[in-house]
Amino acid sequence: MNRRRIVILGASGNALDILDIIDALGAPWEAAGVLDDRRDKGSKFADLPIVGSLAEAAALADVVFINGIASERTHRRKLGIIAGTGLDAARFIRLIHPLAAVSRRAAIGNGSCIGPGCAVSGQVEIGDHSWLGSHAVIGHECVLGAGVTVAPSATLAGGVTLGAQAYVGTGAMLRPGITVGEGALIGMGAVVLRDVPAGMVVVGNPARPLVRSTAQCGATDQMRHGRVGAAAASTLSQE
């Protein structure tokens, strides 16, 4: 049997999740290596070789690709990073864990990954390069734009729309029919009851925009320039 060799974009925790999906699926899939800009070519990640940087992707022959870039730190740049590889969309595959329940009436884009325990209902549309963490629930008729990330155990009720590169944090819950704009971020455990504009960060129950005080912003700037002590930095990191 010919095995299809998969190269993962990004050496991260998401890549470990992808490897578990590949293991669970078995033949004909086989992990062949990882592309990462921060690791040396020839080094190892999870016993896989780093086969180069992201810019070297197009030079690799006889492999297919899956995206592992799904961090809350990079979610607004995700599609640009992938586009920078120069890869044709047809070279990206979809990976769906065998323990996920995905309706045959759902449409899943290239480069998307669906983890174990996920439930994806009928008439759902999921754009290219989207990421669904374990046990995420996507209700009927939801529309997820390209590059969306839905972290583990988050729940989207029916008819929710997520704009491209939106990020939904772990355990968040979104009420039926709302729209989350492009690049918006929903914090962990947030309960979202109304539309969220593009680029906005919302947190809490009920979810509200995250607004830092002037003092917090000033302290954060000082921390970036090394002028805040360890205790103050620790306090900021927990907010």
Side-chain angles (χ1 to χ4, degrees):
M1 177 184 294
N2 292 328
R3 298 179 70 86
R4 300 194 70 187
R5 302 172 68 244
I6 304 171
V7 171
I8 302 168
L9 304 186
S12 65
N14 297 320
L16 296 176
D17 292 339
I18 289 171
L19 290 174
D20 287 340
I21 297 174
I22 294 171
D23 288 345
L25 289 171
W29 305 109
E30 176 184 17
V34 181
L35 290 168
D36 194 274
D37 290 342
R38 297 174 299 173
R39 296 174 183 258
D40 294 333
K41 188 173 183 178
S43 62
K44 293 281 189 177
F45 173 80
D47 293 327
L48 287 177
I50 301 295
V51 295
S53 66
L54 296 176
E56 298 176 82
L60 298 177
D62 301 321
V63 297
V64 291
F65 297 87
I66 187 71
N67 171 55
I69 301 168
S71 167
E72 73 279 4
R73 296 181 300 276
T74 60
H75 71 102
R76 293 190 182 99
R77 298 187 289 116
K78 182 177 178 179
L79 294 178
I81 293 170
I82 295 169
T85 65
L87 292 168
D88 186 88
R91 297 196 67 186
F92 285 92
I93 60 165
R94 294 179 291 271
L95 284 181
I96 301 173
H97 196 285
L99 295 181
V102 178
S103 170
R104 64 183 179 85
R105 286 169 286 276
I108 315 295
N110 288 343
S112 292
C113 197
I114 299 178
C118 288
V120 179
S121 300
Q123 302 300 322
V124 166
E125 298 178 17
I126 298 178
D128 292 346
H129 306 299
S130 293
W131 177 275
L132 272 59
S134 60
H135 299 282
V137 176
I138 311 298
H140 59 84
E141 299 169 291
C142 287
V143 177
L144 281 60
V148 157
T149 300
V150 181
S153 299
T155 298
L156 277 57
V160 168
T161 297
L162 299 182
Q165 301 186 126
Y167 187 101
V168 179
T170 300
M173 295 184 287
L174 281 65
R175 75 182 294 269
I178 66 171
T179 295
V180 175
E182 181 174 345
L185 188 148
I186 310 300
M188 292 187 299
V191 178
V192 185
L193 302 178
R194 60 185 65 185
D195 292 352
V196 178
M200 181 173 284
V201 178
V202 298
V203 297
N205 178 10
R208 295 182 174 87
L210 177 63
V211 179
R212 291 186 179 274
S213 68
T214 303
Q216 285 176 312
C217 292
T220 301
D221 290 340
Q222 289 179 358
M223 184 172 65
R224 288 174 181 155
H225 291 87
R227 294 195 295 268
V228 172
S234 176
T235 300
L236 282 171
S237 69
Q238 296 172 27
E239 292 176 345

